[in-house]
């Protein structure tokens, strides 16, 4: 095994495979250590503040716009100008840092590509380090792959790269500084920045990031302070780093102006991260007996609370000259069934047409086969314009009550319950085996959609409104015993599709435990991470 030269006080327990030492260089690790020591205490304080706030919500408190930041919401300020490479983001493709997927995403025809060290990626040591190698090679345009007799390399024209590090709640357990695990997000960010920022600047772009799972403007301030220190450390001008924040928690929706303000020198706008947003709503109001959402398939972007959130995000961004990027259409092409495929593609068309006509500057897709379709819908509205930031929405008025108008509550069906169980087991099994991005039932599932599945089941068991409807007027209460009885049945179906494997049996056990236990686990990925 290759020996590394580590900064004082740092331990690395992960295996150093050939090539990893080119990423884990002394200077790169020194930056990781410096940022960790400077900011870990604040990360822990902010995570503790999340727990305290969750307890208040569990006790019945309702989120609202902050009185102490009213002057920021009312102020006439704008974010710093957007670099040319980020002006046009009509279609963004996302996917994990796996080498073939990286090449295909860059070549997809999308304007930009969010490469993901987070939700669509199992963050095991190999994935994180090989992902960094893939990023280094992609930035230098030397990335290639020979696989199954096929050759993969980059086209002349490729998408602009945007990197998503892990969220604040995730540790990197293989790296300790002064005896404590470090932040997974700082680890991902610092290594990428150190190795690629100057190269990206020389090539006419820059180090651009997506920041996930934030719950407050203070968490955005933490990222901003990290950017300031990191830019000084590696010797690039302040404001070079640009970051788009995913608004994917209900509490962050009340602080969108403030989040943009904190990052104003480094902001590249906001994104409506819809799947995590739905999960966040379930999680934050899990103990509210009056809260209950219908089958996952019924909770669409036209649901009142989702529509309010999407329009408020758009209005907030454009008021501050910030890009507004629409969320993920999780549907993927269905190659063996033209009829089903046409329905799925119609769903994507409608979704992107709504975003474009509302005023969004772009939207996400999960599959290269959707890029052209999504691009067509945005071009119908934008024409040759790179974005529509000039489209202000003074007509949009969204109140706290609108953001908390959780509909639809019905129907909840046996098919919907079984779907959640099936997706939960299938995704967990794939994640444990090292794959965090899985096509299931013609949708591209990642950790966010799996979180909706298990949190809905947990909440339906506990809510008085968690009643199955059979369409004949009959209602049956969802119970833990009912769920336990369905799990082995759905496990059989998963194995028929995915093949048998020890990870699926373990996934079924984990799903049962997490959906029926008294206590609600904050994130699916936290206990899972300890198993890989």
């Amino acid at each position: 095994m290759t020996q590394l030269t580590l900064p004082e006080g740092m331990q690395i327990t992960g295996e150093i495979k050939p090539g990893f030492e080119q990423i884990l260089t002394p200077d790169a690790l020194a930056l990781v250590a410096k940022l960790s020591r400077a900011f870990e205490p604040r990360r822990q304080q902010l995570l503790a503040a999340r727990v305290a706030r969750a307890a208040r919500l569990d006790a019945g408190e309702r989120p609202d716009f902050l009185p102490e930041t009213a002057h920021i919401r009312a102020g006439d300020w704008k974010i710093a100008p957007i670099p040319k490479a980020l002006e046009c983001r009509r279609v963004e493709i996302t996917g994990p840092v796996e080498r073939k997927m990286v090449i295909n995403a860059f070549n997809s025809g999308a304007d930009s590509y969010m490469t993901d060290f987070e939700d669509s990626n199992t963050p095991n040591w190999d994935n994180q380090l090989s992902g960094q190698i893939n990023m280094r090679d992609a930035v230098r345009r030397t990335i290639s792959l020979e696989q199954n007799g096929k050759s993969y390399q980059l086209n002349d024209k490729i998408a602009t790269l945007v990197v998503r590090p892990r969220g604040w709640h995730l540790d990197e357990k293989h790296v300790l500084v002064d005896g404590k695990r470090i932040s997974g997000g700082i680890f991902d960010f610092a290594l990428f920045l150190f190795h690629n920022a100057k190269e990206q600047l020389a090539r006419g772009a820059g180090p651009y990031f997506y920041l996930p799972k934030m719950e407050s403007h203070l968490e955005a301030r933490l990222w901003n302070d990290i950017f300031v220190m990191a830019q000084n450390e590696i010797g690039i001008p302040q404001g070079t780093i640009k970051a788009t924040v995913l608004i994917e928690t209900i509490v962050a929706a009340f602080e969108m102006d403030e989040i943009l303000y904190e990052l104003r020198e480094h902001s590249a706008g906001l994104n409506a991260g819809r799947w995590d947003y739905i999960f966040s709503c379930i999680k934050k109001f899990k103990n509210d007996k009056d809260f209950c959402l219908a089958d996952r398939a019924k909770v669409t972007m036209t649901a009142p609370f989702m529509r309010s959130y999407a329009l408020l995000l758009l209005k907030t961004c454009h008021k501050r000259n910030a890009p507004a990027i629409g969320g993920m259409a999780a549907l993927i092409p269905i190659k063996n069934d033209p009829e089903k495929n046409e329905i799925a593609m119609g769903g994507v068309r409608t979704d992107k047409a709504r975003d474009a006509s509302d005023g969004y500057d772009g939207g996400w897709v999960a599959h290269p086969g959707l890029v052209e379709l999504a691009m067509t819908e945005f071009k119908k509205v934008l024409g040759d314009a790179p974005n529509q930031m000039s489209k202000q929405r003074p007509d949009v008025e969204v109140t706290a009550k609108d953001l908390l108008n959780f509909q639809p509550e019905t129907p909840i069906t046996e098919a919907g319950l079984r779907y959640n169980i099936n997706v939960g087991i299938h995704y967990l099994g794939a994640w444990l085996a090292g794959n965090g991005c899985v096509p299931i039932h013609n949708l591209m599932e990642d950790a966010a959609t799996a979180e909706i599945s298990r949190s809905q089941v947990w909440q339906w068991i506990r809510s008085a409104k968690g009643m199955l409807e059979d369409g004949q007027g009959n209602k049956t209460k969802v119970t833990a015993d009912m769920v336990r009885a369905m799990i082995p049945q759905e496990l059989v179906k998963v194995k028929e599709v995915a093949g048998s494997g020890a990870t699926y049996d373990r996934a079924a056990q984990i799903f049962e435990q997490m959906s029926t236990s008294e206590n609600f686990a904050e994130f699916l990925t936290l206990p899972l991470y300890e198993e890989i």
Side-chain angles (χ1 to χ4, degrees):
M1 195 166 91
T2 309
Q3 288 298 308
L4 298 178
T5 305
L6 300 179
E8 196 175 334
M10 179 182 277
Q11 292 169 268
I12 293 185
T13 61
E15 183 186 353
I16 310 302
K17 292 188 174 176
F20 287 9
E21 78 286 348
Q22 295 168 23
I23 299 297
L24 301 171
T25 62
D27 289 346
L29 291 176
L31 179 63
V32 170
K34 182 155 191 173
L35 294 175
S36 293
R37 286 194 174 105
F39 297 107
E40 182 61 15
R42 265 173 67 192
R43 178 174 82 109
Q44 292 303 332
Q45 286 167 1
L46 289 166
L47 291 175
R50 283 188 184 183
V51 173
R53 186 171 201 187
R56 295 198 301 275
L57 294 174
D58 283 345
E61 184 184 289
R62 279 290 201 238
D64 205 344
F65 298 98
L66 302 175
E68 64 269 28
T69 52
H71 63 287
I72 291 171
R73 294 193 298 280
D76 184 23
W77 52 271
K78 309 284 189 240
I79 68 164
I82 297 291
K84 185 136 191 64
L86 288 177
E87 281 177 1
C88 183
R89 297 163 67 184
R90 296 159 304 187
V91 178
E92 295 194 330
I93 191 167
T94 78
V97 285
E98 190 266 328
R99 202 167 181 89
K100 183 173 107 174
M101 287 191 181
V102 166
I103 298 169
N104 287 343
F106 270 117
N107 291 342
S108 66
D111 292 314
S112 40
Y113 161 41
M114 188 206 79
T115 195
D116 194 12
F117 285 92
E118 200 229 11
D119 260 9
S120 64
N121 168 61
T122 300
N124 63 34
W125 181 246
D126 277 11
N127 285 350
Q128 299 309 104
L129 268 294
S130 58
Q132 291 283 353
I133 291 169
N134 294 341
M135 289 303 99
R136 178 202 62 194
D137 295 350
V139 166
R140 288 157 182 79
R141 301 186 71 114
T142 59
I143 191 170
S144 63
L145 180 68
E146 300 290 329
Q147 193 178 78
N148 302 329
K150 289 178 82 174
S151 182
Y152 299 86
Q153 56 207 18
L154 294 181
N155 296 341
D156 289 340
K157 187 178 185 311
I158 57 171
T160 298
L161 178 63
V162 187
V163 176
R164 178 159 71 170
R166 282 170 280 183
W168 284 135
H169 61 293
L170 291 168
D171 295 339
E172 176 45 68
K173 68 180 180 181
H174 301 94
V175 183
L176 307 179
V177 168
D178 303 329
K180 295 195 181 90
R181 288 181 178 187
I182 66 166
S183 154
I186 287 178
F187 180 76
D188 302 336
F189 160 79
L191 291 179
F192 177 83
L193 187 82
F194 181 87
H195 290 293
N196 302 297
K198 288 179 178 172
E199 183 74 24
Q200 288 178 298
L201 288 168
R203 290 171 178 270
Y208 308 141
F209 296 91
Y210 253 111
L211 304 178
K213 305 285 188 293
M214 276 198 261
E215 296 199 6
S216 75
H217 70 284
L218 297 179
E219 295 184 12
R221 183 181 297 171
L222 175 56
W223 268 121
N224 197 72
D225 291 349
I226 287 169
F227 293 164
V228 170
M229 181 184 275
Q231 287 166 144
N232 282 339
E233 287 297 312
I234 68 167
I236 57 175
Q238 288 299 324
T240 301
I241 293 170
K242 295 295 177 187
T244 308
V245 172
L246 288 139
I247 300 298
E248 49 189 356
T249 66
I250 176 77
V251 284
F254 288 90
E255 300 184 36
M256 291 195 272
D257 261 316
E258 294 89 332
I259 286 167
L260 285 174
Y261 184 79
E262 292 294 345
L263 285 158
R264 61 195 180 279
E265 295 304 318
H266 299 105
S267 180
L270 304 176
N271 175 295
R274 59 179 71 170
W275 301 109
D276 263 302
Y277 191 81
I278 295 168
F279 162 57
S280 165
C281 294
I282 300 167
K283 176 164 70 173
K284 295 302 183 192
F285 303 111
K286 62 185 180 292
N287 289 349
D288 184 335
K289 296 290 181 250
D290 289 326
F291 174 93
C292 195
L293 287 175
D295 282 355
R296 171 184 144 182
K298 298 282 189 286
V299 185
T300 67
M301 290 308 290
T302 58
F305 72 107
M306 298 300 286
R307 188 84 187 119
S308 296
Y309 142 75
L311 289 173
L312 180 61
L313 186 148
L314 172 64
K315 177 183 182 175
T316 304
C317 283
H318 285 184
K319 185 179 176 186
R320 308 303 180 187
N321 279 0
I325 308 297
M328 170 71 78
L331 294 152
I332 54 177
I334 305 166
K335 290 175 181 169
N336 57 0
D337 191 327
E339 208 171 303
K340 276 188 180 172
N341 187 59
E342 191 41 51
I343 294 168
M345 295 307 99
V348 177
R349 262 186 224 104
T350 302
D351 186 69
K352 299 311 168 196
R354 184 195 314 108
D355 276 353
S357 59
D358 281 346
Y360 273 84
D361 303 298
W364 273 15
V365 296
H367 192 285
L370 299 176
V371 170
E372 191 178 337
L373 182 155
M375 191 70 81
T376 300
E377 294 307 319
F378 275 99
K379 282 184 175 175
K380 278 181 193 171
V381 176
L382 276 74
D384 294 330
N387 57 57
Q388 46 185 345
M389 278 192 267
S390 59
K391 187 169 184 176
Q392 302 288 305
R393 294 296 305 265
D395 56 307
V396 171
E397 288 295 334
V398 174
T399 64
K401 192 176 175 187
D402 295 328
L403 290 173
L404 300 172
N405 180 11
F406 296 116
Q407 302 286 337
E409 294 187 341
T410 59
I412 300 168
T413 64
E414 181 178 332
L417 176 58
R418 286 186 177 278
Y419 184 90
N420 278 344
I421 294 168
N422 187 291
V423 167
I425 294 170
H426 194 151
Y427 182 79
L428 286 174
W431 197 97
L432 288 169
N435 180 12
C437 184
V438 194
I440 306 173
H441 307 308
N442 306 315
L443 292 173
M444 193 61 83
E445 304 282 357
D446 70 3
T449 44
E451 289 282 31
I452 297 174
S453 294
R454 69 97 187 183
S455 59
Q456 271 205 315
V457 174
W458 190 95
Q459 207 261 337
W460 287 344
I461 289 170
R462 279 150 191 80
S463 172
K465 295 180 178 178
M467 307 286 281
L468 297 186
E469 299 178 23
D470 64 359
Q472 311 295 317
N474 301 311
K475 294 187 176 184
T476 313
K477 180 74 190 81
V478 179
T479 64
D481 284 343
M482 179 191 291
V483 171
R484 287 188 191 103
M486 289 180 180
I487 285 172
Q489 297 164 1
E490 294 306 314
L491 175 60
V492 170
K493 294 180 198 171
V494 168
K495 286 182 174 180
E496 283 169 2
V497 175
S500 60
T503 53
Y504 292 107
D505 292 322
R506 180 69 187 120
Q509 291 170 350
I510 293 168
F511 188 87
E512 179 177 327
Q513 186 185 349
M514 293 187 92
S515 58
T516 62
S517 70
E518 264 323 295
N519 297 321
F520 184 88
E522 186 73 2
F523 286 98
L524 197 64
T525 43
L526 290 175
L528 285 185
Y529 185 53
E530 302 309 321
E531 300 215 1
I532 56 171

